[in-house]
Amino acid sequence: MQKELSIFEPRLVAVSKTKPKDLIIAAYDAGQRNFGENYVQELVEKANDPEILEKCREIRWHFIGHLQRNKVNKIINIPGLYMVETVDSEKLANSINDQYGKLGYGDLLNVMVQVNTSGEEGKSGCTPQEAPALAKHILEKCKHLNFFGLMSIGIFGYDNSLGPNPDFQSLRNCREKVCQELGLTVSQVELSMGMSDDFEHAIEMGSSNIRVGSSIFGHRPPKELPPTEALCKAVEDVKLDNN
């Protein structure tokens, strides 16, 4: 584990879904740069908001929700898009690749393969067995995409006192298979797993991309969210906990 932690510095993705732009700007002013959104339309609106465009020029947007192919064009056109973490099929990868390539940016779009490690029917993601083939397809067939790593949501509310989270272990094992089959090193395949309740355990298990929402923005409805001073402290607290 320690070797992995020396390779990757954990990246904090502040999950800002349903949160007003004022809190996004406050978190940005506190030093946060990576933000995650679950819904296409909400991400489109926030990323194109004039105030966010003016005050958050270095913002990095992560799309972390289920993405339908008929909405790909909306996502790839937003300013500040850094990564799509939820590629779960070759058809979706092809759609993102083709449409992103038409924009002519010249750079590659970061993508992660979403893996359904828990096997729950209500969750998106390919199976762990399918992940190596999907990663290979992205690497070999999608010239406009950069295969960044593997992402999993996992079972909500796992009791860490029972031992290592099986979803985290499953994603680690999945990375081993991907690396073995595709001739990659661990440093070339990041893991995105862990949220507010378990991000420390996720980092211990090798996650370099953690998605934290309530620990930063609070559980309460938007109108009762903590003031910007408290939010800034929350961002700092999460970052300090990572060290």
Side-chain angles (χ1 to χ4, degrees):
M1 301 295 181
Q2 293 301 318
K3 183 178 180 181
E4 289 182 13
L5 292 176
S6 67
I7 295 175
F8 299 116
E9 179 178 350
R11 180 185 305 100
L12 173 61
V13 179
V15 180
S16 48
K17 64 176 182 179
T18 76
K19 309 307 178 186
K21 67 178 180 181
D22 290 348
L23 292 185
I24 294 174
I25 294 171
Y28 183 92
D29 289 342
Q32 182 62 26
R33 290 295 180 268
N34 293 278
F35 291 82
E37 288 288 337
N38 290 62
Y39 307 113
V40 172
Q41 190 56 39
E42 187 172 0
L43 175 54
V44 170
E45 292 175 0
K46 288 177 178 176
N48 288 285
D49 182 273
E51 192 171 4
I52 289 180
L53 287 171
E54 178 186 353
K55 297 182 178 180
C56 309
R57 297 181 183 274
E58 297 179 357
I59 198 167
R60 292 179 167 186
W61 292 109
H62 295 235
F63 186 72
I64 58 175
H66 177 61
L67 180 58
Q68 298 174 315
R69 280 183 287 157
N70 62 356
K71 295 184 178 179
V72 165
N73 197 50
K74 290 185 177 181
I75 288 293
I76 61 171
N77 277 287
I78 70 164
L81 179 64
Y82 181 69
M83 189 185 304
V84 176
E85 295 194 22
T86 50
V87 177
D88 58 4
S89 70
E90 290 186 3
K91 289 183 178 180
L92 179 58
N94 290 339
S95 181
I96 297 173
N97 177 71
D98 294 344
Q99 295 190 54
Y100 189 77
K102 292 177 182 178
L103 298 178
Y105 288 142
D107 60 349
L108 303 182
L109 175 63
N110 297 319
V111 298
M112 283 189 164
V113 168
Q114 182 177 5
V115 184
N116 186 350
T117 54
S118 62
E120 296 173 89
E121 291 185 4
K123 285 190 175 140
S124 301
C126 66
T127 67
Q129 294 74 25
E130 295 169 333
L134 180 50
K136 182 178 181 180
H137 177 81
I138 293 171
L139 284 166
E140 296 182 354
K141 304 296 184 181
C142 301
K143 64 180 182 180
H144 302 295
L145 305 183
N146 174 46
F147 172 61
F148 206 87
L150 306 172
M151 176 267 211
S152 177
I153 295 176
I155 296 175
F156 178 75
Y158 175 75
D159 185 354
N160 292 327
S161 67
L162 299 176
N165 188 313
D167 287 307
F168 295 170
Q169 188 60 57
S170 176
L171 200 66
R172 284 173 54 84
N173 294 340
C174 189
R175 176 169 65 181
E176 290 181 9
K177 293 180 181 178
V178 168
C179 289
Q180 289 172 359
E181 294 188 23
L182 303 186
L184 302 175
T185 64
V186 170
S187 63
Q188 293 174 291
V189 185
E190 293 200 26
L191 299 182
S192 176
M193 57 189 189
M195 294 181 279
S196 290
D197 295 334
D198 55 13
F199 71 86
E200 292 174 321
H201 178 51
I203 292 173
E204 292 173 353
M205 292 290 288
S207 179
S208 55
N209 196 77
I210 56 172
R211 308 177 302 274
V212 178
S214 58
S215 292
I216 295 175
F217 296 105
H219 290 282
R220 291 168 289 180
K223 66 179 180 180
E224 298 178 4
L225 282 170
T228 56
E229 292 83 0
L231 185 144
C232 293
K233 184 178 185 303
V235 171
E236 262 324 295
D237 287 345
V238 172
K239 289 182 176 179
L240 289 172
D241 286 342
N242 288 344
N243 298 326

